[in-house]
Amino acid sequence: MASLPSVKLCVNDHEMKLYFGKEYPFWQCNVHSCRKKVSIRVDTWFGHSRLAFTTIVRFIYFWAEELTSLKFCQKQLGMAGKTVIDWNSYMREVCVFSVENKNSGKIGGEGKIVEIDESLFTKRKNNAGRVLPQQWVFGGLCRETGQRFLVKVPNRGADTLLTEILNHIEPGSTILSDCWKGYKSEELENAGFTHFTVNHKYNFVDPDTGASTQYVERMWGSAKWRNKRQRGTARHHLDSYLVEYVWRSDVTASGGDAFNSILTNIAAFWVAQRQNQESD
C-alpha cells in the first residue's frame, strides 16, 4: 500500500507485524513482552487526514477511475465538500511530482517526431462577466511514445515558444507544427531540431513533406473535453489540472493501471517529502 513500509521496528527495535483493525490498520510488535502498537497514520502519507483508512483507499481508487466529483464523493463516501476538494488537490500534487521527476521531463529525441501546437483554454470573460486575460496553453505530443506536455504560456510569441520547446523537447527531435509565425525554423534548427510545417489554410497534411499535426489536435480535444466535463477549471488550478491530464495520458500510453500507478507515485512522493524535511 502507498507509503507503507514493508518492515517496521518498534521503539525497542523489535520487528512489528501489520494488522487490519476496524477503522485503521496498525503495526504491533511480535515480542510478547513488548507488544507495542503503532497506527499506520504515524509517519505515513495517511497521517494528515482523519478519514477512515477504507475511505481513503476507496477515494484513491475512485480518483484513478475519474469518479471523485463533489456529488459522487459526498453520496458514496460520506465526505464533506471541502475534504473532497482537498483530496483531489493532494492527488494532483502527487501527479505534479511524478511528471516532474520522470526522466528528464522532456519528450522526443533522436529519430522521434513531436507535434506542437498552442490552444486557447480560457476566454476573456468568466461566468460573472468579469474581463480576464486570455489563457493560452502550449503543448506537444511524441508520436512514437505518446508522451506529451501541456503548459500555460503568457503569449504565443517566438521567444516564449522557443523557451518552452527547449524546456520540454529533447534536441534531435523532428518537430512538426502549423505555420504560426512564432515557430521560427532557423532558430529551431540552430537549437538542434529538424522542423517541418503544414499550412492549415490549404492542407491538413503537407503534400511535399507529409507533415501534419493531427495527433496534437486530437490531444487538445481530449484535454478540453476533460476540462469541460469538470465544468471548467479555476485559473489558479489550471497548471495542476494540465499535469494530471499528462499523468493519466502517460499511464495509458505505457499500458499501466491508474490505481496501481498512483499508489506507487504516492509512496515515492512521501519518501521525497521526508527526505526534504530531514535535509531542512
Side-chain angles (χ1 to χ4, degrees):
M1 183 57 66
S3 83
L4 294 183
S6 56
V7 176
K8 190 172 180 66
L9 301 179
C10 74
V11 293
N12 297 317
D13 289 331
H14 302 143
E15 187 170 324
M16 306 183 83
K17 183 177 179 181
L18 185 63
Y19 294 89
F20 288 84
K22 292 182 179 180
E23 291 295 324
Y24 242 79
F26 61 90
W27 294 94
Q28 186 167 31
C29 177
N30 287 331
V31 178
H32 290 288
S33 60
C34 182
R35 303 300 287 175
K36 299 290 185 182
K37 284 185 179 182
V38 179
S39 168
I40 65 166
R41 290 181 185 272
V42 178
D43 292 331
T44 69
W45 191 70
F46 304 105
H48 67 272
S49 176
R50 295 183 179 180
L51 288 177
F53 179 74
T54 52
T55 300
I56 294 175
V57 174
R58 291 175 67 196
F59 177 89
I60 295 173
Y61 176 79
F62 288 139
W63 179 89
E65 296 295 317
E66 300 191 72
L67 294 172
T68 51
S69 67
L70 284 174
K71 184 176 180 180
F72 181 88
C73 291
Q74 287 171 334
K75 180 178 180 180
Q76 299 298 329
L77 299 177
M79 296 172 67
K82 185 180 183 304
T83 305
V84 176
I85 292 171
D86 287 344
W87 271 90
N88 275 306
S89 181
Y90 299 152
M91 303 305 289
R92 292 196 301 273
E93 190 177 359
V94 174
C95 290
V96 171
F97 167 82
S98 175
V99 171
E100 288 181 347
N101 287 275
K102 187 175 183 180
N103 299 324
S104 65
K106 295 184 178 182
I107 66 174
E110 293 288 344
K112 292 185 173 61
I113 297 173
V114 177
E115 297 183 15
I116 60 173
D117 194 19
E118 72 293 335
S119 184
L120 183 63
F121 259 64
T122 311
K123 298 179 180 179
R124 287 191 179 276
K125 290 186 178 181
N126 64 8
N127 291 335
R130 291 177 295 178
V131 177
L132 299 170
Q134 291 180 329
Q135 180 59 67
W136 288 90
V137 174
F138 176 61
L141 184 147
C142 179
R143 286 185 178 181
E144 289 77 13
T145 65
Q147 290 179 303
R148 61 201 71 193
F149 70 88
L150 295 170
V151 290
K152 291 194 308 183
V153 289
N155 56 65
R156 296 188 295 160
D159 291 342
T160 297
L161 296 180
L162 179 61
T163 297
E164 297 301 340
I165 288 170
L166 294 174
N167 286 340
H168 296 283
I169 303 178
E170 291 282 3
S173 304
T174 295
I175 293 178
L176 306 182
S177 74
D178 58 22
C179 291
W180 171 244
K181 62 183 180 181
Y183 304 124
K184 296 185 179 295
S185 291
E186 183 177 356
E187 291 183 354
L188 290 174
E189 289 168 3
N190 289 338
F193 303 101
T194 301
H195 184 219
F196 295 107
T197 63
V198 55
N199 192 332
H200 288 155
K201 184 177 180 180
Y202 303 106
N203 301 288
F204 289 108
V205 179
D206 187 274
D208 297 321
T209 65
S212 73
T213 57
Q214 297 177 52
Y215 289 99
V216 74
E217 288 165 12
R218 291 175 193 166
M219 179 183 75
W220 291 130
S222 177
K224 288 187 174 183
W225 172 83
R226 192 170 184 277
N227 187 56
K228 184 176 181 180
R229 191 178 66 171
Q230 294 172 331
R231 297 184 180 180
T233 301
R235 288 182 176 230
H236 60 283
H237 288 316
L238 183 56
D239 281 324
S240 61
Y241 275 99
L242 293 175
V243 173
E244 181 186 340
Y245 168 76
V246 171
W247 181 89
R248 291 182 182 277
S249 299
D250 285 348
V251 170
T252 300
S254 65
D257 173 77
F259 181 57
N260 289 323
S261 295
I262 197 62
L263 291 178
T264 300
N265 292 160
I266 288 172
F269 177 67
W270 170 253
V271 170
Q273 279 191 319
R274 291 300 304 273
Q275 290 174 343
N276 289 337
Q277 292 170 357
E278 292 171 359
S279 63
D280 289 342

